[in-house]
Amino acid sequence: MRRRRIAVWLGGALALAVAGFGLAAWRPALAPGGPGPGETAPEQVRRGAVLASLGYCASCHTAEGGQPYAGGRGIGTPFGTIHATNITPDPETGLGRYSLPAFTRAMRAGVDREGRHLYPAFPYTHYAGLTDSDVAALYAFVMTRAPVRAEAPANALPFPLSWRPLVAGWKLLFFRAPAIPADPRRDADWHRGAYLAEALSHCGACHTPRNLLGAEVAGRAYAGGEADGWWAPPLARSSPAPLPWSEDALARYLAEWDPQRGGAAGPMRPVVDAHRTVPAGEIRALAAYVATLYGPGPAGSRTGPVDREPPGDDPALARGAATYAGACAVCHESGGGAAGGVPYTTPSLGHRTTLRAPDPRNLILVLRDGIAPREHAPGPIMPAFGTTLTPAQMTDLAAYLRARFSPDGPWPDLAGTVRGLMREAPAPGARAEARP
């Protein structure tokens, strides 16, 4: 009898807990609606276009070869693939039935119009810091895009992660609106940059490490992270960059190219491309704030550029040197574009943070897929060696580059990393896309 009473009490407690969680997770559906009078005024739309570029909306919500903002792009996470949704004003598959309040709730609380919790691959953890006026301008912009009927593919998440109410529990544990820094010693540009970096441009979403449940580790902000299988370098004193990042250098990098440090590849490339459509003052403000994240003076781990020929008695490094001489040196030994060498090259590969990274993924991905400029526009270009070099040749080349241009030791399990990434290579002839 006593055991039965205990079982009844435990069952009741469990039922109450489940009911309590259900109540906490429940969000009401909002009535269908659309833009009200004046909510899509031309000046609002123009402002929203700039904000959408600073938030890099198109880079996630446009599939390769798809219509702008029509969704469908798969975003890789450690838990599975989440597909970006259609944010055109199509009433059936997009946001055509969203009122401004429904749009605001999605942006700031991560809950869609029907009351479903959104996965934090959508960075509402940062967008929660957006101002009312910026949310309204973004709404005006997306609601005036060309409607596209396009249903996003189903997410590829295992159970129970595919059960959306669990996201409510994740939010209770980790979701806090970002605190936008304020410093009376700083000027207006710095404060604008702080707002952009922490909220709209959500820099920490890539450049901050995450815990086992996918939340940013608040105590390690900007200490480096992951993005689409690429290493996102620290934007802090722990940066291994061989050259210090000044405000001017960051502004050049974020706009297109810095002659000493180079330009962006991989997930950062669409970010830089989006900056082409925003006023230069916004880029300068973002650079002003990010430059201060590195702290005053040179970082303790930074030892300056390195360029030294490794010992010639290592057969693997000798083979890598031969590959470098045949495939790379004609551009990378030209002295850099600023010195009259090949345009969009730096004075030395020793200036690039990639070769000082804790693992070789970024280097291997660039070697494998190459770099292509925007269509009909000048920019950095590098051939893709994924179909011309064998995994062994790629390994030897990467080992040589690390030994010559970095003071750090060899990368661990370089050959295994190369083999894994070569197996994932795009089909021959396919143009690799740098995505966030």
Side-chain angles (χ1 to χ4, degrees), residues 49-50 69 82 195 291 327:
V50 172
Y69 301 103
I82 296 173
Y195 171 75

Side-chain angles (χ1 to χ4, degrees), residues 139-227:
Y139 178 73
F141 174 74
V142 298
M143 296 305 281
T144 52
R145 299 307 90 201
V148 179
R149 185 177 179 83
E151 191 78 46
N155 296 324
L157 295 172
F159 184 83
L161 299 179
S162 57
W163 191 55
R164 284 185 183 267
L166 277 185
V167 180
W170 185 93
K171 289 178 177 178
L172 287 173
L173 291 172
F174 303 116
F175 182 23
R176 306 290 183 273
I180 309 301
D183 187 341
R185 299 168 299 176
R186 304 288 185 178
D187 61 15
D189 274 355
W190 186 91
H191 284 90
R192 175 62 177 170
Y195 171 75
L196 292 176
E198 301 295 341
L200 183 60
S201 299
H202 56 280
C203 303
C206 291
H207 290 279
T208 295
R210 294 178 180 267
N211 63 23
L212 292 177
L213 295 179
E216 293 176 35
V217 181
R220 300 186 62 203
Y222 298 109
E226 304 275 335

Side-chain angles (χ1 to χ4, degrees), residues 122-149:
F122 175 59
Y124 53 82
T125 51
H126 290 268
Y127 293 160
L130 292 175
T131 63
D132 290 345
S133 60
D134 279 359
V135 172
L138 286 164
Y139 178 73
F141 174 74
V142 298
M143 296 305 281
T144 52
R145 299 307 90 201
V148 179
R149 185 177 179 83

Side-chain angles (χ1 to χ4, degrees), residues 39 54 91 123 179 199 205 343 348 360 374 379 429:
E39 288 184 342
L54 285 165
S348 167
R374 294 180 304 122

